[in-house]
Amino acid sequence: MAPAPDTVPATVASPAAGPVAAGSPQTGTFTVKRGLADMLRGGVIMDVVTADQAKVAEDAGAVAVMALERVPADIRAQGGVARMSDPELVEGIQRAVTIPVMAKARIGHFAEAQILQALQVDYVDESEVLTPADEANHIDKWAFGVPFVCGATNLGEALRRIGEGAAMIRSKGEAGTGNIVEAVRHLRAILGDVRKLTQADPAERYAWAKQLGAPLELVREVADTGRLPVPLFCAGGIATPADAALVMQLGAEAVFVGSGIFKSEDPARRARAVVEATAHFTDPDILVKVSRGLGGAMPGLEVATLEQRLAERGW
Amino acid sequence: MVRVGILALQGDVAEHRRALADAGAEAVSVRRPADLDGVDGLVLPGGESTTVSMLLDSSGLAAPLTRAVRDGMPMFGTCAGMILLASSADDGRPDQRLLGAIDIRVRRNGYGRQAQSFECDLAVDEIDGGPVHAVFIRAPVVVSAGPGVDVLARLPGPGPGTGAAPVVCRQGHVLVSAFHPELTADRRVHQLFLSMIGARSGTGPGVAALVGG
């Protein structure tokens, strides 16, 4: 690429002027990984299976899309092993939109993650929605320049994933159900323990680390700051604008919507409504307006009747 | 105390709130037109510019913000905020709303995808005390800047594919940065913005009192 054209008079600092630290710009640092998560806050990340759906999502105001072959509701219905998407599908979606594109790798499947990194996806979701590839180990995410998001059901799980290098945490919820109850449970578990941990005295932090099964340094950081070291988003079961407003008020910093958009009657309208509800989550007047006449939501599933709980994958 | 609004429709609002508080300002979230009452300046945070642009329309903020720009309210945009304040954007969506507060042309995601996001140190004019550590996240590139625009910093080129592109620009009461000073603990860029508010209103501390202090 040629240097950017520039019509500014030469009175400004030249590149050589001033104290500039040695060394070239650094990519793939934790600050840079976490930084993109920060930029997505207050936004909606939507699952899409085609380039056309990705455009619908972008038009509706999504901050990012998750490119995959089947949404969780279909994975649940059709069964079989769920794997990383075909690179062709990911590339088609990357070409279709200008917003960040994420993609899922199986838990522990670092080779899938290497492929997604080579595709230059903007975030990798090491996801329990896909069939796990390793029953003991998650991916060593520090070994990658691409940032990772991981699911968690409680604070210990969240801190273990951060210890492995995740730069964003999301609740697992129960994907593909359109039922928010599990996501609420996970958010309350994570944020409730964060609140309790801030009350622990320094000696009690060791016991907290042991009980959570989490790195002591991260336990200390949460106790000192009163928040997770990385942004906490909500995923798993969001189907309506009210669901988005609920989890944002509970303390989620952004929302993932999987099957909830494109398994509904009017995806474009619902997508837009969820975006508005996420931005204005404390404003009941706007929530009324955007919730009105949306058509049918995705058909939901009662969690107690499920044969397979996706949230139990990973540890 | 200077009261600064932060456009809080989407993006890294919390980081700007912390940065403004550290720099000695009162920060308030702006989501509806009434939230603009009584603010001395406005920060447009990082985020996804297409999302924020859409929400500007639906929240009723587009017209009041256009008026605020015309009335000379001091504004500071980082990354997506810089795009919203720009006069034109290459490859923007046709329905993307630009406030045209500063005479620059930008290209969205001009450095590439997240794989090309980077951090580096760079010198910023009017900010003393050594280089500023700059974090660029899928950042926009300033393709050109009009004659009335002061370029306060450029990438210590050669940057990733873009040479010595301007990354901090100012025109009158409007300050923009392609990187995210709110993501580091260094508050000097926010202090520079507060000094611009002070200089305009005559109520706050002047440039000499704040910059490099």
Side-chain angles (χ1 to χ4, degrees), chain B residues 81-125:
Chain B
M82 172 170 106
I83 296 170
L84 291 167
L85 289 173
S87 50
S88 71
D90 296 354
D91 86 339
R93 294 168 50 85
D95 56 350
Q96 180 148 355
R97 185 172 284 278
L98 301 177
L99 293 168
I102 182 164
D103 186 14
I104 56 172
R105 188 157 69 90
V106 298
R107 188 166 68 239
R108 292 180 57 221
N109 307 328
Y111 297 94
R113 300 184 179 282
Q114 172 66 7
Q116 286 81 40
S117 290
F118 63 98
E119 51 183 316
C120 66
D121 285 346
L122 53 87
V124 181
D125 276 10

mmCIF file of all heavy atoms in Angstrom, chain B residues 81-125:
data_model
loop_
_atom_site.group_PDB
_atom_site.id
_atom_site.type_symbol
_atom_site.label_atom_id
_atom_site.label_comp_id
_atom_site.label_asym_id
_atom_site.label_seq_id
_atom_site.Cartn_x
_atom_site.Cartn_y
_atom_site.Cartn_z
ATOM 1 N N GLY B 81 -15.168 7.362 17.003
ATOM 2 C CA GLY B 81 -15.568 8.748 17.269
ATOM 3 C C GLY B 81 -14.933 9.706 16.275
ATOM 4 O O GLY B 81 -15.541 10.701 15.861
ATOM 5 N N MET B 82 -13.697 9.407 15.885
ATOM 6 C CA MET B 82 -13.025 10.223 14.867
ATOM 7 C C MET B 82 -13.750 10.113 13.528
ATOM 8 O O MET B 82 -13.921 11.112 12.812
ATOM 9 C CB MET B 82 -11.569 9.770 14.709
ATOM 10 C CG MET B 82 -10.838 10.417 13.551
ATOM 11 S SD MET B 82 -9.056 10.090 13.560
ATOM 12 C CE MET B 82 -8.955 8.918 12.231
ATOM 13 N N ILE B 83 -14.198 8.904 13.193
ATOM 14 C CA ILE B 83 -14.931 8.720 11.936
ATOM 15 C C ILE B 83 -16.212 9.557 11.956
ATOM 16 O O ILE B 83 -16.534 10.263 10.988
ATOM 17 C CB ILE B 83 -15.268 7.228 11.713
ATOM 18 C CG1 ILE B 83 -13.982 6.412 11.557
ATOM 19 C CG2 ILE B 83 -16.169 7.046 10.487
ATOM 20 C CD1 ILE B 83 -14.199 4.898 11.563
ATOM 21 N N LEU B 84 -16.933 9.510 13.087
ATOM 22 C CA LEU B 84 -18.202 10.246 13.168
ATOM 23 C C LEU B 84 -17.997 11.751 13.062
ATOM 24 O O LEU B 84 -18.856 12.477 12.557
ATOM 25 C CB LEU B 84 -18.924 9.907 14.481
ATOM 26 C CG LEU B 84 -19.461 8.476 14.561
ATOM 27 C CD1 LEU B 84 -19.880 8.130 15.983
ATOM 28 C CD2 LEU B 84 -20.641 8.285 13.619
ATOM 29 N N LEU B 85 -16.844 12.234 13.530
ATOM 30 C CA LEU B 85 -16.593 13.686 13.485
ATOM 31 C C LEU B 85 -16.014 14.130 12.141
ATOM 32 O O LEU B 85 -15.975 15.319 11.843
ATOM 33 C CB LEU B 85 -15.634 14.085 14.616
ATOM 34 C CG LEU B 85 -16.228 14.017 16.033
ATOM 35 C CD1 LEU B 85 -15.142 14.259 17.077
ATOM 36 C CD2 LEU B 85 -17.352 15.042 16.196
ATOM 37 N N ALA B 86 -15.584 13.187 11.310
ATOM 38 C CA ALA B 86 -14.901 13.518 10.051
ATOM 39 C C ALA B 86 -15.870 14.120 9.040
ATOM 40 O O ALA B 86 -17.094 13.965 9.144
ATOM 41 C CB ALA B 86 -14.252 12.266 9.474
ATOM 42 N N SER B 87 -15.285 14.802 8.046
ATOM 43 C CA SER B 87 -16.128 15.378 7.000
ATOM 44 C C SER B 87 -16.443 14.366 5.913
ATOM 45 O O SER B 87 -17.463 14.472 5.240
ATOM 46 C CB SER B 87 -15.464 16.622 6.409
ATOM 47 O OG SER B 87 -14.129 16.340 6.056
ATOM 48 N N SER B 88 -15.558 13.366 5.716
ATOM 49 C CA SER B 88 -15.911 12.324 4.751
ATOM 50 C C SER B 88 -15.184 11.033 5.086
ATOM 51 O O SER B 88 -14.123 11.040 5.710
ATOM 52 C CB SER B 88 -15.593 12.759 3.318
ATOM 53 O OG SER B 88 -14.203 12.790 3.117
ATOM 54 N N ALA B 89 -15.805 9.917 4.693
ATOM 55 C CA ALA B 89 -15.223 8.600 4.966
ATOM 56 C C ALA B 89 -15.261 7.764 3.700
ATOM 57 O O ALA B 89 -16.306 7.648 3.062
ATOM 58 C CB ALA B 89 -15.979 7.896 6.087
ATOM 59 N N ASP B 90 -14.110 7.200 3.328
ATOM 60 C CA ASP B 90 -14.084 6.249 2.221
ATOM 61 C C ASP B 90 -14.724 4.956 2.713
ATOM 62 O O ASP B 90 -14.633 4.628 3.873
ATOM 63 C CB ASP B 90 -12.637 5.938 1.817
ATOM 64 C CG ASP B 90 -11.930 7.171 1.290
ATOM 65 O OD1 ASP B 90 -12.600 8.202 1.151
ATOM 66 O OD2 ASP B 90 -10.712 7.089 1.060
ATOM 67 N N ASP B 91 -15.312 4.220 1.859
ATOM 68 C CA ASP B 91 -15.863 2.894 2.123
ATOM 69 C C ASP B 91 -16.832 2.874 3.298
ATOM 70 O O ASP B 91 -17.093 1.843 3.897
ATOM 71 C CB ASP B 91 -14.761 1.832 2.300
ATOM 72 C CG ASP B 91 -14.213 1.714 3.734
ATOM 73 O OD1 ASP B 91 -14.363 2.670 4.511
ATOM 74 O OD2 ASP B 91 -13.664 0.661 4.049
ATOM 75 N N GLY B 92 -17.354 4.024 3.670
ATOM 76 C CA GLY B 92 -18.391 4.028 4.695
ATOM 77 C C GLY B 92 -19.684 3.535 4.074
ATOM 78 O O GLY B 92 -19.824 3.476 2.859
ATOM 79 N N ARG B 93 -20.628 3.150 4.910
ATOM 80 C CA ARG B 93 -21.912 2.761 4.376
ATOM 81 C C ARG B 93 -22.617 3.993 3.840
ATOM 82 O O ARG B 93 -22.432 5.090 4.337
ATOM 83 C CB ARG B 93 -22.753 2.130 5.484
ATOM 84 C CG ARG B 93 -22.198 0.814 5.987
ATOM 85 C CD ARG B 93 -22.908 0.435 7.259
ATOM 86 N NE ARG B 93 -24.342 0.515 7.077
ATOM 87 C CZ ARG B 93 -25.097 -0.457 6.579
ATOM 88 N NH1 ARG B 93 -24.536 -1.568 6.196
ATOM 89 N NH2 ARG B 93 -26.383 -0.317 6.460
ATOM 90 N N PRO B 94 -23.459 3.830 2.796
ATOM 91 C CA PRO B 94 -24.126 5.002 2.221
ATOM 92 C C PRO B 94 -24.991 5.742 3.243
ATOM 93 O O PRO B 94 -25.150 6.963 3.151
ATOM 94 C CB PRO B 94 -24.992 4.408 1.106
ATOM 95 C CG PRO B 94 -24.880 2.932 1.203
ATOM 96 C CD PRO B 94 -23.715 2.602 2.058
ATOM 97 N N ASP B 95 -25.511 4.998 4.231
ATOM 98 C CA ASP B 95 -26.375 5.649 5.216
ATOM 99 C C ASP B 95 -25.592 6.092 6.456
ATOM 100 O O ASP B 95 -26.170 6.493 7.441
ATOM 101 C CB ASP B 95 -27.510 4.717 5.634
ATOM 102 C CG ASP B 95 -26.994 3.388 6.182
ATOM 103 O OD1 ASP B 95 -25.780 3.132 6.057
ATOM 104 O OD2 ASP B 95 -27.796 2.626 6.734
ATOM 105 N N GLN B 96 -24.248 5.969 6.390
ATOM 106 C CA GLN B 96 -23.471 6.337 7.570
ATOM 107 C C GLN B 96 -23.508 7.847 7.797
ATOM 108 O O GLN B 96 -23.302 8.641 6.894
ATOM 109 C CB GLN B 96 -22.024 5.882 7.406
ATOM 110 C CG GLN B 96 -21.179 6.249 8.614
ATOM 111 C CD GLN B 96 -20.078 5.234 8.853
ATOM 112 O OE1 GLN B 96 -19.997 4.219 8.191
ATOM 113 N NE2 GLN B 96 -19.234 5.522 9.815
ATOM 114 N N ARG B 97 -23.786 8.223 9.034
ATOM 115 C CA ARG B 97 -23.916 9.633 9.370
ATOM 116 C C ARG B 97 -22.570 10.179 9.831
ATOM 117 O O ARG B 97 -21.934 9.610 10.715
ATOM 118 C CB ARG B 97 -24.938 9.798 10.487
ATOM 119 C CG ARG B 97 -25.237 11.209 10.840
ATOM 120 C CD ARG B 97 -26.383 11.264 11.797
ATOM 121 N NE ARG B 97 -27.657 11.048 11.153
ATOM 122 C CZ ARG B 97 -28.319 12.023 10.506
ATOM 123 N NH1 ARG B 97 -27.785 13.219 10.378
ATOM 124 N NH2 ARG B 97 -29.490 11.775 9.983
ATOM 125 N N LEU B 98 -22.116 11.247 9.203
ATOM 126 C CA LEU B 98 -20.892 11.911 9.627
ATOM 127 C C LEU B 98 -21.260 13.327 10.071
ATOM 128 O O LEU B 98 -22.069 13.994 9.434
ATOM 129 C CB LEU B 98 -19.881 11.984 8.477
ATOM 130 C CG LEU B 98 -19.438 10.639 7.884
ATOM 131 C CD1 LEU B 98 -18.510 10.868 6.706
ATOM 132 C CD2 LEU B 98 -18.755 9.787 8.933
ATOM 133 N N LEU B 99 -20.650 13.786 11.159
ATOM 134 C CA LEU B 99 -21.018 15.093 11.699
ATOM 135 C C LEU B 99 -20.245 16.228 11.024
ATOM 136 O O LEU B 99 -20.619 17.387 11.148
ATOM 137 C CB LEU B 99 -20.797 15.114 13.212
ATOM 138 C CG LEU B 99 -21.749 14.168 13.989
ATOM 139 C CD1 LEU B 99 -21.291 14.013 15.436
ATOM 140 C CD2 LEU B 99 -23.190 14.684 13.942
ATOM 141 N N GLY B 100 -19.166 15.893 10.324
ATOM 142 C CA GLY B 100 -18.429 16.920 9.597
ATOM 143 C C GLY B 100 -17.864 18.019 10.479
ATOM 144 O O GLY B 100 -17.815 19.184 10.097
ATOM 145 N N ALA B 101 -17.408 17.657 11.671
ATOM 146 C CA ALA B 101 -16.898 18.654 12.615
ATOM 147 C C ALA B 101 -15.436 18.995 12.357
ATOM 148 O O ALA B 101 -14.943 20.017 12.827
ATOM 149 C CB ALA B 101 -17.073 18.149 14.046
ATOM 150 N N ILE B 102 -14.739 18.136 11.627
ATOM 151 C CA ILE B 102 -13.323 18.383 11.340
ATOM 152 C C ILE B 102 -13.051 17.976 9.901
ATOM 153 O O ILE B 102 -13.570 16.964 9.419
ATOM 154 C CB ILE B 102 -12.418 17.630 12.354
ATOM 155 C CG1 ILE B 102 -10.945 17.911 12.093
ATOM 156 C CG2 ILE B 102 -12.676 16.125 12.341
ATOM 157 C CD1 ILE B 102 -10.041 17.526 13.263
ATOM 158 N N ASP B 103 -12.226 18.798 9.233
ATOM 159 C CA ASP B 103 -12.031 18.652 7.794
ATOM 160 C C ASP B 103 -10.994 17.578 7.484
ATOM 161 O O ASP B 103 -9.876 17.876 7.066
ATOM 162 C CB ASP B 103 -11.610 20.017 7.213
ATOM 163 C CG ASP B 103 -11.520 19.985 5.699
ATOM 164 O OD1 ASP B 103 -12.035 19.023 5.085
ATOM 165 O OD2 ASP B 103 -10.918 20.926 5.132
ATOM 166 N N ILE B 104 -11.362 16.327 7.736
ATOM 167 C CA ILE B 104 -10.472 15.213 7.402
ATOM 168 C C ILE B 104 -11.265 14.157 6.646
ATOM 169 O O ILE B 104 -12.468 14.033 6.805
ATOM 170 C CB ILE B 104 -9.830 14.552 8.648
ATOM 171 C CG1 ILE B 104 -10.911 14.082 9.639
ATOM 172 C CG2 ILE B 104 -8.838 15.480 9.310
ATOM 173 C CD1 ILE B 104 -10.368 13.256 10.783
ATOM 174 N N ARG B 105 -10.524 13.449 5.789
ATOM 175 C CA ARG B 105 -11.118 12.320 5.090
ATOM 176 C C ARG B 105 -10.501 11.053 5.690
ATOM 177 O O ARG B 105 -9.275 10.967 5.839
ATOM 178 C CB ARG B 105 -10.802 12.403 3.596
ATOM 179 C CG ARG B 105 -11.527 11.370 2.746
ATOM 180 C CD ARG B 105 -11.617 11.857 1.284
ATOM 181 N NE ARG B 105 -10.324 11.877 0.620
ATOM 182 C CZ ARG B 105 -9.802 10.858 -0.065
ATOM 183 N NH1 ARG B 105 -10.448 9.723 -0.160
ATOM 184 N NH2 ARG B 105 -8.629 10.969 -0.644
ATOM 185 N N VAL B 106 -11.343 10.105 6.075
ATOM 186 C CA VAL B 106 -10.832 8.910 6.752
ATOM 187 C C VAL B 106 -11.211 7.658 5.966
ATOM 188 O O VAL B 106 -12.143 7.670 5.157
ATOM 189 C CB VAL B 106 -11.377 8.788 8.195
ATOM 190 C CG1 VAL B 106 -10.941 9.980 9.036
ATOM 191 C CG2 VAL B 106 -12.899 8.673 8.207
ATOM 192 N N ARG B 107 -10.452 6.616 6.209
ATOM 193 C CA ARG B 107 -10.800 5.317 5.636
ATOM 194 C C ARG B 107 -10.977 4.338 6.785
ATOM 195 O O ARG B 107 -10.047 4.137 7.578
ATOM 196 C CB ARG B 107 -9.712 4.830 4.671
ATOM 197 C CG ARG B 107 -10.132 3.569 3.910
ATOM 198 C CD ARG B 107 -9.210 3.283 2.724
ATOM 199 N NE ARG B 107 -7.890 2.894 3.163
ATOM 200 C CZ ARG B 107 -6.768 3.539 2.844
ATOM 201 N NH1 ARG B 107 -6.793 4.606 2.076
ATOM 202 N NH2 ARG B 107 -5.603 3.127 3.288
ATOM 203 N N ARG B 108 -12.163 3.767 6.895
ATOM 204 C CA ARG B 108 -12.451 2.831 7.984
ATOM 205 C C ARG B 108 -11.547 1.610 7.901
ATOM 206 O O ARG B 108 -11.239 1.144 6.805
ATOM 207 C CB ARG B 108 -13.915 2.382 7.942
ATOM 208 C CG ARG B 108 -14.899 3.479 8.253
ATOM 209 C CD ARG B 108 -16.318 2.943 8.199
ATOM 210 N NE ARG B 108 -16.465 1.821 9.113
ATOM 211 C CZ ARG B 108 -17.148 0.705 8.829
ATOM 212 N NH1 ARG B 108 -17.715 0.555 7.659
ATOM 213 N NH2 ARG B 108 -17.251 -0.242 9.716
ATOM 214 N N ASN B 109 -11.159 1.102 9.073
ATOM 215 C CA ASN B 109 -10.312 -0.098 9.155
ATOM 216 C C ASN B 109 -9.108 0.027 8.211
ATOM 217 O O ASN B 109 -8.699 -0.944 7.577
ATOM 218 C CB ASN B 109 -11.104 -1.367 8.798
ATOM 219 C CG ASN B 109 -12.376 -1.504 9.626
ATOM 220 O OD1 ASN B 109 -12.421 -1.075 10.773
ATOM 221 N ND2 ASN B 109 -13.415 -2.075 9.042
ATOM 222 N N GLY B 110 -8.565 1.223 8.134
ATOM 223 C CA GLY B 110 -7.536 1.501 7.133
ATOM 224 C C GLY B 110 -6.252 0.726 7.335
ATOM 225 O O GLY B 110 -5.458 0.578 6.411
ATOM 226 N N TYR B 111 -6.021 0.245 8.560
ATOM 227 C CA TYR B 111 -4.812 -0.540 8.809
ATOM 228 C C TYR B 111 -5.065 -2.027 8.620
ATOM 229 O O TYR B 111 -4.140 -2.828 8.713
ATOM 230 C CB TYR B 111 -4.290 -0.269 10.225
ATOM 231 C CG TYR B 111 -3.886 1.169 10.426
ATOM 232 C CD1 TYR B 111 -4.775 2.096 10.969
ATOM 233 C CD2 TYR B 111 -2.626 1.608 10.026
ATOM 234 C CE1 TYR B 111 -4.413 3.418 11.126
ATOM 235 C CE2 TYR B 111 -2.254 2.934 10.184
ATOM 236 C CZ TYR B 111 -3.159 3.834 10.735
ATOM 237 O OH TYR B 111 -2.797 5.144 10.879
ATOM 238 N N GLY B 112 -6.332 -2.404 8.424
ATOM 239 C CA GLY B 112 -6.640 -3.815 8.210
ATOM 240 C C GLY B 112 -7.548 -4.364 9.295
ATOM 241 O O GLY B 112 -8.261 -3.630 9.964
ATOM 242 N N ARG B 113 -7.500 -5.664 9.444
ATOM 243 C CA ARG B 113 -8.325 -6.360 10.436
ATOM 244 C C ARG B 113 -7.640 -6.340 11.801
ATOM 245 O O ARG B 113 -6.564 -5.790 11.964
ATOM 246 C CB ARG B 113 -8.549 -7.807 9.987
ATOM 247 C CG ARG B 113 -9.254 -7.916 8.658
ATOM 248 C CD ARG B 113 -9.540 -9.362 8.302
ATOM 249 N NE ARG B 113 -10.233 -9.430 7.030
ATOM 250 C CZ ARG B 113 -11.529 -9.183 6.877
ATOM 251 N NH1 ARG B 113 -12.278 -8.879 7.918
ATOM 252 N NH2 ARG B 113 -12.088 -9.234 5.687
ATOM 253 N N GLN B 114 -8.260 -7.067 12.746
ATOM 254 C CA GLN B 114 -7.692 -7.135 14.084
ATOM 255 C C GLN B 114 -6.251 -7.655 14.064
ATOM 256 O O GLN B 114 -5.431 -7.235 14.881
ATOM 257 C CB GLN B 114 -8.575 -8.018 14.978
ATOM 258 C CG GLN B 114 -8.007 -8.325 16.351
ATOM 259 C CD GLN B 114 -7.896 -7.106 17.246
ATOM 260 O OE1 GLN B 114 -8.353 -6.016 16.904
ATOM 261 N NE2 GLN B 114 -7.262 -7.272 18.391
ATOM 262 N N ALA B 115 -5.937 -8.540 13.127
ATOM 263 C CA ALA B 115 -4.573 -9.075 13.048
ATOM 264 C C ALA B 115 -3.551 -7.954 12.865
ATOM 265 O O ALA B 115 -2.384 -8.091 13.250
ATOM 266 C CB ALA B 115 -4.461 -10.081 11.898
ATOM 267 N N GLN B 116 -3.994 -6.832 12.284
ATOM 268 C CA GLN B 116 -3.082 -5.695 12.077
ATOM 269 C C GLN B 116 -3.223 -4.620 13.158
ATOM 270 O O GLN B 116 -2.564 -3.589 13.086
ATOM 271 C CB GLN B 116 -3.310 -5.072 10.699
ATOM 272 C CG GLN B 116 -2.757 -5.904 9.533
ATOM 273 C CD GLN B 116 -3.680 -7.032 9.129
ATOM 274 O OE1 GLN B 116 -4.894 -6.888 9.094
ATOM 275 N NE2 GLN B 116 -3.110 -8.191 8.869
ATOM 276 N N SER B 117 -4.096 -4.829 14.134
ATOM 277 C CA SER B 117 -4.177 -3.881 15.247
ATOM 278 C C SER B 117 -2.837 -3.882 15.980
ATOM 279 O O SER B 117 -2.182 -4.909 16.072
ATOM 280 C CB SER B 117 -5.293 -4.284 16.212
ATOM 281 O OG SER B 117 -6.557 -4.089 15.611
ATOM 282 N N PHE B 118 -2.426 -2.734 16.520
ATOM 283 C CA PHE B 118 -1.074 -2.662 17.083
ATOM 284 C C PHE B 118 -0.994 -1.586 18.155
ATOM 285 O O PHE B 118 -1.887 -0.764 18.306
ATOM 286 C CB PHE B 118 -0.058 -2.355 15.972
ATOM 287 C CG PHE B 118 -0.272 -1.010 15.301
ATOM 288 C CD1 PHE B 118 0.476 0.101 15.672
ATOM 289 C CD2 PHE B 118 -1.232 -0.863 14.312
ATOM 290 C CE1 PHE B 118 0.274 1.340 15.056
ATOM 291 C CE2 PHE B 118 -1.445 0.375 13.691
ATOM 292 C CZ PHE B 118 -0.689 1.465 14.060
ATOM 293 N N GLU B 119 0.105 -1.626 18.906
ATOM 294 C CA GLU B 119 0.412 -0.560 19.843
ATOM 295 C C GLU B 119 1.834 -0.090 19.625
ATOM 296 O O GLU B 119 2.696 -0.865 19.209
ATOM 297 C CB GLU B 119 0.188 -0.994 21.293
ATOM 298 C CG GLU B 119 0.835 -2.291 21.699
ATOM 299 C CD GLU B 119 0.492 -2.669 23.145
ATOM 300 O OE1 GLU B 119 0.525 -1.780 24.014
ATOM 301 O OE2 GLU B 119 0.194 -3.841 23.399
ATOM 302 N N CYS B 120 2.065 1.203 19.891
ATOM 303 C CA CYS B 120 3.401 1.770 19.703
ATOM 304 C C CYS B 120 3.487 3.082 20.491
ATOM 305 O O CYS B 120 2.479 3.578 20.978
ATOM 306 C CB CYS B 120 3.678 2.030 18.221
ATOM 307 S SG CYS B 120 2.619 3.302 17.505
ATOM 308 N N ASP B 121 4.696 3.606 20.604
ATOM 309 C CA ASP B 121 4.880 4.913 21.219
ATOM 310 C C ASP B 121 4.969 5.965 20.137
ATOM 311 O O ASP B 121 5.567 5.728 19.088
ATOM 312 C CB ASP B 121 6.178 4.933 22.037
ATOM 313 C CG ASP B 121 6.028 4.161 23.336
ATOM 314 O OD1 ASP B 121 4.888 3.856 23.710
ATOM 315 O OD2 ASP B 121 7.059 3.873 23.955
ATOM 316 N N LEU B 122 4.376 7.131 20.377
ATOM 317 C CA LEU B 122 4.558 8.209 19.417
ATOM 318 C C LEU B 122 4.499 9.572 20.096
ATOM 319 O O LEU B 122 3.849 9.750 21.128
ATOM 320 C CB LEU B 122 3.560 8.112 18.265
ATOM 321 C CG LEU B 122 2.078 7.997 18.539
ATOM 322 C CD1 LEU B 122 1.474 9.377 18.691
ATOM 323 C CD2 LEU B 122 1.424 7.286 17.373
ATOM 324 N N ALA B 123 5.224 10.498 19.488
ATOM 325 C CA ALA B 123 5.276 11.863 20.017
ATOM 326 C C ALA B 123 4.043 12.630 19.563
ATOM 327 O O ALA B 123 3.610 12.499 18.423
ATOM 328 C CB ALA B 123 6.532 12.558 19.502
ATOM 329 N N VAL B 124 3.452 13.395 20.472
ATOM 330 C CA VAL B 124 2.296 14.216 20.136
ATOM 331 C C VAL B 124 2.644 15.670 20.416
ATOM 332 O O VAL B 124 3.051 16.005 21.532
ATOM 333 C CB VAL B 124 1.061 13.799 20.968
ATOM 334 C CG1 VAL B 124 -0.146 14.656 20.597
ATOM 335 C CG2 VAL B 124 0.741 12.322 20.765
ATOM 336 N N ASP B 125 2.508 16.520 19.410
ATOM 337 C CA ASP B 125 2.754 17.955 19.589
ATOM 338 C C ASP B 125 1.878 18.501 20.708
ATOM 339 O O ASP B 125 0.712 18.100 20.829
ATOM 340 C CB ASP B 125 2.403 18.711 18.299
ATOM 341 C CG ASP B 125 3.552 18.696 17.309
ATOM 342 O OD1 ASP B 125 4.514 17.951 17.544
ATOM 343 O OD2 ASP B 125 3.468 19.435 16.306
#
